[in-house]
Structures are given as C-alpha cells and as structure tokens.
Amino acid sequence: MFLAVTLAAVGSKGAAQSMTPMRGEISSFEEEFTVRVFPYNPYPHSIRVAIKAYDQDFRPIEADVMPPEMVIGSMSSRSAIVSVGFKNKKVRRIRICTESVPFPGLHTSIKAQICGRFIAHRIN
C-alpha cells in the first residue's frame, strides 16, 4: 500500500481529552488515503481508547486502523494511522473519532468521543 499524503501533528496539551488534527484535506493518487491522528490523554491516569472511522453522517465505514485500540498514559499522546478507500468516488468526507473504552471491571457513566473531519480528494 502506498501512502500518498499523511497528515501529522503534535498532540496538544489541552485540559480535556483531545485529538489532533481535528480537520484536514488530503490529496491522493491512489485508491485509498491515509490520515495519522494523535489522541491525547490529559488525565492523571491511563485511559483506553478506540479509533473508528465514520462517514460524514456518523455511519461506520470500512477502514484499516492501526492500532484500532490503545492505552494512552497520563499526560501523553500516541499516534494511530487510518486508511480509507475512495469507493469509486473523487471526493470522500469522513470523520475519525477517538472513543473512550472502559477498563474491564471499572464502571463509568461517561463515554467520551472526540471526532475530526477530513476531506479527501482523489487526483487523476
């Protein structure tokens, strides 16, 4: 697989769970495009998150996510790579979301979801 364009940014040091970049435009010569995102954990404890891809209306879409789930240490970020096919379209609008996943045995009433919006253009 050839990665045409990858967006990258340094994880932000905000006061709430976040992800960078939160939006972007990608150009690709290939049948798929790739985005690199950086979920950030501002809490004093580790958190587990899942990275998921959706269409512009928040319907799940097929995507290769590496890693699909990860544990992020306190006050740090990790990167994930999301690859999505164009599905015979010239432009694809997607959302990439970082979603909190409760640790086994812990009960939580809040499930955070942070989403970025991305537009991909197929060039050719």
Side-chain angles (χ1 to χ4, degrees), residues 54-98:
Y54 299 94
D55 69 10
Q56 64 187 5
D57 298 317
F58 286 100
R59 292 182 296 248
I61 61 172
E62 187 177 322
D64 290 324
V65 182
M66 287 305 297
E69 279 194 20
M70 66 178 94
V71 174
I72 305 174
S74 173
M75 306 300 216
S76 63
S77 69
R78 291 186 58 192
S79 71
I81 296 174
V82 181
S83 295
V84 178
F86 277 100
K87 300 287 186 189
N88 296 320
K89 297 179 183 177
K90 295 284 274 173
V91 176
R92 189 102 193 249
R93 297 173 189 274
I94 66 163
R95 298 180 189 271
I96 298 174
C97 300
T98 298

